Amino acid sequence: NGRRINAIITGYDPTNETEMRSLCKTWTEGSPAAFSVLDGLGAWTGDNQLCITQEGHTPFIGQWTTVTNWTNEGSPYLWWTGPDQAAVLQAVVNWGLGAHLVGGDIKVGVIAGNRVSDQTALNDYLLPDLRNAGVTPVVKTIDANPDDTSTTDTQAPLVIQQLRSAGVTSVIPLISFNVFYPVLQAETAQQYFPRLLLSDYESSILSSLGLLPIPYAKALDGQEGVTTETLGGIDDARPESQGGYDPGVRSCWTTWHQAYPQVPPGNMNDDIEEQGPIVGWCQVIKLFAAAAKAAGPDLNRRSFVTAMSKITNFPGTNVPVLSYGPHKRYGPTQYQVVKLHINTPPSSQCKTTVGRPPPATCWVSVQPWEPLPTG
């Protein structure tokens, strides 16, 4: 509609809460203020999202998510490209029951961070879901503040020792990566490897994939979880039905390849999924553009969020489809159960990019999963 987007790309330290809040105030109260804020990586987290949306009344589209009340507090300005964790946690419990990892005589443990988002997820969502399933878990809280690394490292071995002493065989992690790493380290040191019910909560499945095969093969190989992510396919040389890119990733690869028609210097190939978080940024930028165009010639924050609420069946990248609504402010709708797999020696379980060496690790799709409606 004749408008030009003035995109301001800002670097920041996601472990520095003071810096992030300062940036939020600059963006929302500056002269001029930013029209919206986008995060394709998932590093703009926690209260910083509410600073932009609830305090600053500025549209925000980002990858990091927590439970439903977060988007309610940030409404109508807070929109997620990731899944609502309330739905994810309920799916984890339902899947755990069906897989005989939860319920009956099975001793279940929960490791929860001490952040507000973790405690809300625990007390308002996961514990009620477990109670409805007749499960009373052993709950351990751990310091999740990135500034408290030494405290987290000290607490992790004690938490693992307590779960082991309690006879826990299944553990649901409600922790961020800075906590997950020392927890796995403590498991390995104590040679205690419970079944982990992984999920999209703080991307525990993706984090686990990144920690295989070294250094936590015993703790992670063969672990399963529920995810909305498909990673969008693995190459552009074959159709989607044979493992090639899905439509959202193919569109992003086309844009990427126009800018880089040759393999970028220092890279082994131009596969977009191997270029860092580009598909995540591409997804959030294209989603913003779709809403901005749909808002029509009278583009303002209100018309923009109204347009966001009407976007359905949008071709995503990390997830295949994003659909929103007036009361649904997270995009993913489809789930699957996956198993982590170390691909040594190489097997047919890991899909291989055409003409490339087999991957060292992958996840294997076990089954689609249909979670019960939340609420």
Side-chain angles (χ1 to χ4, degrees), residues 88 91-92 95 198-200 205 224-228 335-337 369:
V88 167
V92 167
W95 160 66
L198 302 173
S199 70
D200 288 340
I205 291 178
E224 295 182 357
V226 178
T227 180
T228 61
Y335 295 74
Q336 64 172 332
V337 178
W369 187 258

Side-chain angles (χ1 to χ4, degrees), residues 63-139:
Q63 177 69 27
W64 183 88
T65 70
T66 183
V67 288
T68 310
N69 68 330
W70 219 256
T71 48
N72 289 343
E73 290 182 31
S75 175
Y77 302 105
L78 179 54
W79 302 88
W80 288 333
T81 55
D84 187 311
Q85 302 297 341
V88 167
L89 294 177
Q90 189 177 62
V92 167
V93 173
N94 294 339
W95 160 66
L97 287 168
H100 305 293
L101 300 174
V102 170
D105 296 331
I106 298 168
K107 205 65 173 285
V108 178
V110 177
I111 305 176
N114 65 346
R115 300 174 304 173
V116 173
S117 56
D118 296 328
Q119 290 297 304
T120 301
L122 172 69
N123 294 305
D124 293 358
Y125 295 92
L126 180 59
L127 289 183
D129 288 341
L130 288 170
R131 280 197 298 268
N132 290 338
V135 176
T136 302
V138 177
V139 178

